[in-house]
Every structure is written in C-alpha cells, then in structure tokens.
Amino acid sequence: MVIGAGLAGCATAASLAARGWRVSLLERHAAVACEASGNPQGVLYLKLSAHGTALSQLIVAGFGHTRRLLEHLQRGADWDACGVLQLAFDDKEAARQTKLATAFTADLLHAVGREQAEALAGIVLPAGGLFYPDAGWVHPPALCRQLVQHPLIELRPYQEALSLSRQNDRWCVDGQSGTLVEAPVLVLACAAEIGRLLPAANLPLKRIRGQISRLPANSLSSRLRTVVCAEGYVAPPREGEHTLGASFDFHSDDLTPSVAEHAGNLELLREISTDLAERLDAQTLDPATLEGRAAFRCTSPDYLPIVGPLADAETFAETYAVLAKDARQVPDAPCPWLHGLYINSGHGSRGLITAPLSGELIAAWLESEPLPVPREVAEACHPNRFMLRTLIRGS
Ligand SMILES: Cc1cc2nc3c(=O)[nH]c(=O)nc-3n(C[C@H](O)[C@H](O)[C@H](O)COP(=O)(O)OP(=O)(O)OC[C@H]3O[C@@H](n4cnc5c(N)ncnc54)[C@H](O)[C@@H]3O)c2cc1C
C-alpha cells in the first residue's frame, strides 16, 4: 500500500509492481499529480557539487534514471530533452560553475561562453554558463500517469488516509468511514502530511510554498530553444505556454496564486533575459491577470530526501542510548524497525530527479536487492538519520 500519488508515490508503486507486488495507491484527490507534482512543466535541474557529496551523487544517478523513464513518454508533448542552460549570473555562481566544469564529464555538462549560450538558447542572454545537453523539461503529471499504468497497480482516488495502525503484522489505514486498506507493507509518499500520520517519528519535514506563472507563447518567444535558469527558470513552450518559476515562500499556508509572486516571477524572467522578457511583452503583462499555480515543496534540513525503512523512535532512543554518552560506540543491538513501513519524501525542488530513483531504492530495500545507489548515498537518505543525530547531539 502506498499513500500519495505524486511523483514519489507513483514511482514507488511502479518499482514495486515491476517486481510483482500488488499495489494499492491511495490518493486524496481525484487523480495523480494534483499537488507539488502537478505543474505544467518542471525542469531537470541538476544542482551539483564539485565535491562528490552524497546529494550530488544522488542527483547524477537520479538524473540518469529519470531520463531513461522519460523515453517512454511522448517527446515534445510530455517532455523535451532541449538542454538546460544555467547562467553564470554573478561572480560566485561563475566560480562555482568553473569548479563543476572540471569535476564532471562534458557529456553531462560543459561551460559555454555568452555567444555560444545565445546560439543554443536562441535568445539574447546576459552571460554564458553551464549547458546540460541531456536535461530539459518534463510535464510531471504525464510521468506520474505513465508510472501507474501497470496491471498490478490499483489507483484509489478520493481516499484520504487519516490514521495508521498495525494489527496482526499488517498496516491498516483508516479514512473517514473506516478502514481503507490493510497490507503487510506501507509506503508513505504523502510529502509533509507524513508528519500528521506519523507524529511520533518526528521527521523534520518542512513545507515551502512555491508558485509558477504561465506565460502565453508567441512567435518571437517560441524561438527559445532550451530551458534557461538563473535564480528562476523559464522553459520553451508546451501547449502554447512557457512555464516561469518559481517563487519561494517559507511562511504562507495559502495555495491561492498571489499577484505579488507573479510579479516576482516576472522579475526572475528579466534577470534571465531582458530580450525574452521583451519578446513576451512582460512590461505590459499585468501580474493580476496571469495564470499560475501554487503548491508546497517538502524539504528536509539537510536537503536530502528521506527514503527507506523507519525505526520506532522511542525504542530506537532506548536501544542506542549509549550513543548519547559516546558516539563512537557501535552497539550490537538490532534496529527496532517499524516492520513493513517505508518513507519516500522530502524531495524539495528536485523531485523530478530524486523521486523516481527513490522508488527503486525502496523496492531494493524491500527485496534485499543490491541498492541502486552507493551505500553511503542510501545511508545519507535514510529516515533514521534524524533520530540518530538527535541521540548523538543530545538535543
Ligand atoms: C512551484 C514549484 C516548482 C517546482 N519546480 C520543480 C522543477 O522545476 N524541477 C523539479 O525537479 N522539481 C520541482 N518542484 C518540486 C517537485 O514538484 C517535488 O519535489 C515533487 O513533486 C514531490 O513529489 P511528491 O510525490 O513527494 O509530493 P506531491 O506531488 O505533493 O505528492 C504527495 C501526494 O500525497 C497526497 N496525499 C497527502 N496526504 C494524503 C493523505 N493523508 N491521504 C491520501 N493522499 C495524501 C497528496 O494529495 C499528493 O498527491 C517544484 C515544486 C513547486 C511547488
């Protein structure tokens, strides 16, 4: 049983079904991809580090996995490998990019001067930057729909999970009118709502509101040939519209698109390219009349997703209490798992890259297969890391 039919839940269901599991996929809305995964276009944006961090390794592996999945979708309508250009928009970013260009191979990314960047993008730009030739944009709902097209997956819309319990080695999920499903394995892929279903786990998931703006394309703006990113991003048109994003609001709980954030997004567009802003007539566009969409990203404090099996927090603290006194100890006691319970969440602003591979990681944990990422990366994403840190730091 998987709760939540966004990218994380749909990918988990697909990875399990591919291994022969029968999956009930519970979703509170009418269809897949109605929350964070519902934007018209998302970018395959690789925010890498030159130091080979766990996050950077996960991003490279996740990018490859997502790209392979996208080959099943219709190019042009559901996604496009048009390339992504990350502009060197200030000195700090330029220095960061110089290090990246030497740390990775040219087929993944390479530095381009301003003229070359303009030739690739088809518009006038303020700077050169890094070009990711195999990246591009994706219509996330199309990827979610494709992932759940499997005879072993039963999508159950309008089913909101309100509480969880464990009876006779099975997980029971209750909704408003009683038990919705019972199963031996439960994967929580419902973003920050995990906190409500599993308060005792105390997982540090935070919601960050974001808004995209939809800009009607015209013959001049349609010359844009690649995604271009600076602080924001703009994509070549899909179904006659460019997606422009995205705002960050750390405090708002409201999902009504706001005029102020449309205005902020237009500012991001001008920073990307005044030429493209002019082609789109941005100076005459009234933010109050723009169409858009707001949703919550779900993030963790270390920016890594939270993926894998989970222990019972209270018993974990008792079992490994010795670590509070001496963090170098390696206690022999077995981990007090919440048997059959797994998490796939915390994908922040890069779910297109990390959520599908995380579905594979969950399936590999469950089936005791070799993991699809190096062990250190899987451990860096492990849901138990926060309870371990709390124990060691004594906070
Ligand atoms: C404005 C914005 C722009 C973004 N741009 C990009 C981008 O360019 N590139 C990129 O890679 N990522 C981007 N992201 C991030 C990306 O969208 C997310 O990382 C990804 O969608 C997360 O997927 P998810 O499945 O974890 O969450 P969601 O898509 O939010 O799915 C969670 C699902 O769980 C369901 N649910 C919750 N609680 C319950 C319950 N109790 N019972 C039943 N169902 C429940 C919800 O209805 C929802 O369908 C952006 C996000 C936002 C908000």
Side-chain angles (χ1 to χ4, degrees):
M1 162 169 54
V2 177
I3 302 181
L7 281 166
C10 294
T12 307
S15 293
L16 292 175
R19 288 160 175 83
W21 290 75
R22 227 161 16 90
V23 185
S24 296
L25 177 57
L26 262 57
E27 170 52 52
R28 61 183 168 188
H29 296 294
V32 301
C34 286
E35 298 205 357
S37 308
N39 285 342
Q41 288 174 303
V43 178
L44 293 173
Y45 182 84
L46 292 91
K47 181 125 200 221
L48 297 168
S49 151
H51 306 294
T53 59
L55 181 56
S56 205
Q57 291 181 58
L58 178 71
I59 290 172
V60 174
F63 172 62
H65 180 66
T66 298
R67 270 297 267 104
R68 288 187 287 277
L69 289 176
L70 292 173
E71 298 295 336
H72 300 290
L73 301 187
Q74 202 185 335
R75 193 163 167 176
D78 295 336
W79 77 289
D80 200 8
C82 54
V84 169
L85 200 49
Q86 290 179 8
L87 298 181
F89 53 85
D90 62 22
D91 292 346
K92 197 169 153 210
E93 178 63 12
R96 199 181 73 84
Q97 292 192 359
T98 305
K99 288 190 193 140
L100 287 174
T102 53
F104 292 93
T105 54
D107 53 348
L108 180 66
L109 61 91
H110 53 264
V112 287
R114 182 171 157 183
E115 268 180 32
Q116 202 184 348
E118 289 177 340
L120 287 164
I123 57 169
V124 179
L125 294 168
L130 284 183
F131 186 58
Y132 294 72
D134 287 333
W137 61 263
V138 181
H139 178 52
L143 178 55
C144 288
R145 284 193 289 270
Q146 203 278 331
L147 286 166
V148 299
Q149 298 231 327
H150 192 290
L152 290 176
I153 300 175
E154 185 196 5
L155 175 66
R156 300 178 59 164
Y158 296 121
Q159 307 239 325
E160 179 162 29
L162 296 179
S163 63
L164 313 176
S165 59
R166 191 158 160 82
Q167 291 160 21
N168 306 325
D169 287 345
R170 291 171 79 80
W171 287 97
C172 298
V173 175
D174 284 341
Q176 209 149 33
S177 49
T179 300
L180 297 174
V181 203
E182 276 184 30
V185 169
L186 167 61
V187 183
L188 298 179
C190 45
E193 291 296 297
I194 291 173
R196 205 161 51 86
L197 289 175
L198 211 60
N202 219 1
L203 289 172
L205 290 165
K206 203 168 77 181
R207 294 192 314 183
I208 302 175
R209 183 191 185 284
Q211 180 173 318
I212 56 99
S213 307
R214 291 162 41 191
L215 303 182
N218 57 46
S219 57
L220 292 176
S221 73
S222 298
R223 305 254 171 90
L224 177 65
R225 281 199 295 266
T226 65
V227 175
V228 189
C229 312
E231 297 277 18
Y233 59 82
V234 61
R238 170 186 173 269
E239 293 188 350
E241 285 179 339
H242 300 270
T243 301
L244 168 67
S247 62
F248 281 79
D249 185 331
F250 295 83
H251 306 294
S252 175
D253 260 351
D254 186 358
L255 285 181
T256 318
S258 86
V259 177
E261 278 168 78
H262 280 316
N265 284 343
L266 288 175
E267 201 42 54
L268 293 175
L269 172 65
R270 281 185 273 271
E271 284 165 17
I272 291 169
S273 165
T274 48
D275 174 38
L276 182 60
E278 277 165 25
R279 289 168 190 248
L280 282 160
D281 256 339
Q283 68 281 11
T284 62
L285 286 175
D286 178 0
T289 62
L290 282 184
E291 299 282 335
R293 189 173 183 280
F296 295 115
R297 305 170 183 90
C298 173
T299 62
S300 76
D302 55 16
Y303 303 108
L304 280 151
I306 302 182
V307 185
L310 182 71
D312 176 78
E314 210 180 306
T315 324
F316 186 93
E318 287 163 13
T319 309
Y320 301 127
V322 64
L323 293 174
K325 295 195 192 89
D326 180 1
R328 285 165 306 178
Q329 295 259 344
V330 185
D332 203 16
C335 183
W337 298 112
L338 288 168
H339 288 286
L341 190 126
Y342 295 77
I343 307 285
N344 187 358
S345 183
H347 295 285
S349 302
R350 54 177 81 87
L352 275 169
I353 284 180
T354 55
L357 182 62
S358 298
E360 282 293 289
L361 181 53
I362 300 261
W365 280 120
L366 251 165
E367 294 269 323
S368 302
E369 288 173 7
L371 302 181
V373 290
R375 184 90 199 176
E376 71 190 89
V377 176
E379 284 177 0
C381 298
H382 202 292
N384 287 359
R385 67 190 187 268
F386 303 105
M387 40 184 110
L388 184 63
R389 284 174 201 163
T390 304
L391 200 58
I392 288 172
R393 289 177 194 155
S395 57

